[in-house]
Amino acid sequence: MANSISLSLLHHGNPHVFDFPSDATISDLGAKVFSSLSIPQANQKYLITPKLGVLKYPFPDPVLPLSTLLNKKIILLAPLPSELSSLTEASASSKPRQRTSAVKTATPARHRDWRKAQDEATYTFGTIVPLPYLPDPDRSRRFLERLRDDAGIKASMRKHKFTVGVLTEMNPAEHTTHESRTLGLNRNRGEVIELRLRTDAYDGYRDYKVIRNTLCHELAHNVFGEHDRNFWDLTKSIEQEVEENDWRSGGHALTSQEFYNPDDSGIDGEHMDGGGWTGGEFILGKNNHSSPTLNRQGLGRRELMAQAAEERMKKQGDANKGAGAPTGQP
């Protein structure tokens, strides 16, 4: 078709391709998805990477040209039409039942903390997004949901009033170099948090408590972008809150086979992230300061160990380059 563009997106793991005029906008995409997939625009959310993040109706820029999205990955975050229909039917059928003539014995009502329930619905993760192109995304979804529902994580998010738009997994291959491995990323102070769930060989999942500590670290980036004293104090507070409220022993696997961690301690030689980022990406394991010697004043044992590991990897990388080591050699 002359003067036209084709835009592809994923919905529940299924690819869809739509044709548009070359001057079509994001509003035209919303209308096309409604007419083709029967998903109302009010229920449409688009996860666009890299950089744009989550866009939902009404769009911040309704005339955003679709031509600017041609080289980006687009995931439609919306329920299936059948799921929407089920919700509508359930709502219509939830009318109060007529009281029978027989009088039942009164029983004490169970107390529910409605304020707590309201806070948990507000201060949480808006959307869970596993990577559909990696093996068994349903297991990743269960892992992310387990983190979302972790009693300690929920308690800390309520306390600090944290809200995160999207909690998703990280593809290890895209965040691994011979110098470092990225464990987590936080974009735009809570718009999207990515966590490294899988092992480097994609043959299992990393230790639950290591990933949960990474999530604590990334949540602290909702407040502080740099790894300064304030950031580490907040990270430590969040970790303590999570442990104190972990009455379900969240560090244990759901089953003996569900999550495992072969030959992967999840600590040595790795870093949480390079700080909170906006519109870009920090590469972990690289020193962002101009001086080759890191400032260790005022830091505790945890931070000193992280900095020492970072320096070791940098020196090893420099040595490999000097010896003519091939690119990508560990």
Side-chain angles (χ1 to χ4, degrees), residues 51-100:
K51 294 187 178 181
L52 285 185
V54 177
L55 300 180
K56 62 181 179 179
Y57 183 86
F59 303 110
D61 182 7
V63 295
L64 175 70
L66 289 183
S67 59
T68 63
L69 308 180
L70 293 181
N71 296 323
K72 297 185 182 298
K73 179 179 178 181
I74 304 175
I75 300 177
L76 173 60
L77 309 174
L80 294 168
S82 58
E83 296 172 341
L84 288 173
S85 177
S86 300
L87 290 173
T88 303
E89 293 175 1
S91 176
S93 62
S94 61
K95 296 180 180 179
R97 298 180 179 180
Q98 294 293 333
R99 189 171 182 177
T100 59

Side-chain angles (χ1 to χ4, degrees), residues 134-146:
L134 294 183
D136 203 355
D138 287 339
R139 291 182 68 184
S140 293
R141 178 180 294 277
R142 291 196 298 272
F143 204 122
L144 293 170
E145 290 174 345
R146 183 181 175 196

Side-chain angles (χ1 to χ4, degrees), residues 188-208:
N188 294 341
R189 299 203 173 190
E191 182 179 286
V192 179
I193 287 181
E194 298 180 43
L195 298 174
R196 190 188 193 101
L197 304 183
R198 301 172 187 262
T199 59
D200 294 348
Y202 296 88
D203 59 351
Y205 285 71
R206 300 163 62 79
D207 180 75
Y208 177 83

Side-chain angles (χ1 to χ4, degrees), residues 206-214 243 246 249-252:
R206 300 163 62 79
D207 180 75
Y208 177 83
K209 285 195 172 181
V210 170
I211 297 174
R212 189 174 66 173
N213 281 342
T214 303
E243 287 291 337
D246 184 20
S249 299
H252 297 297

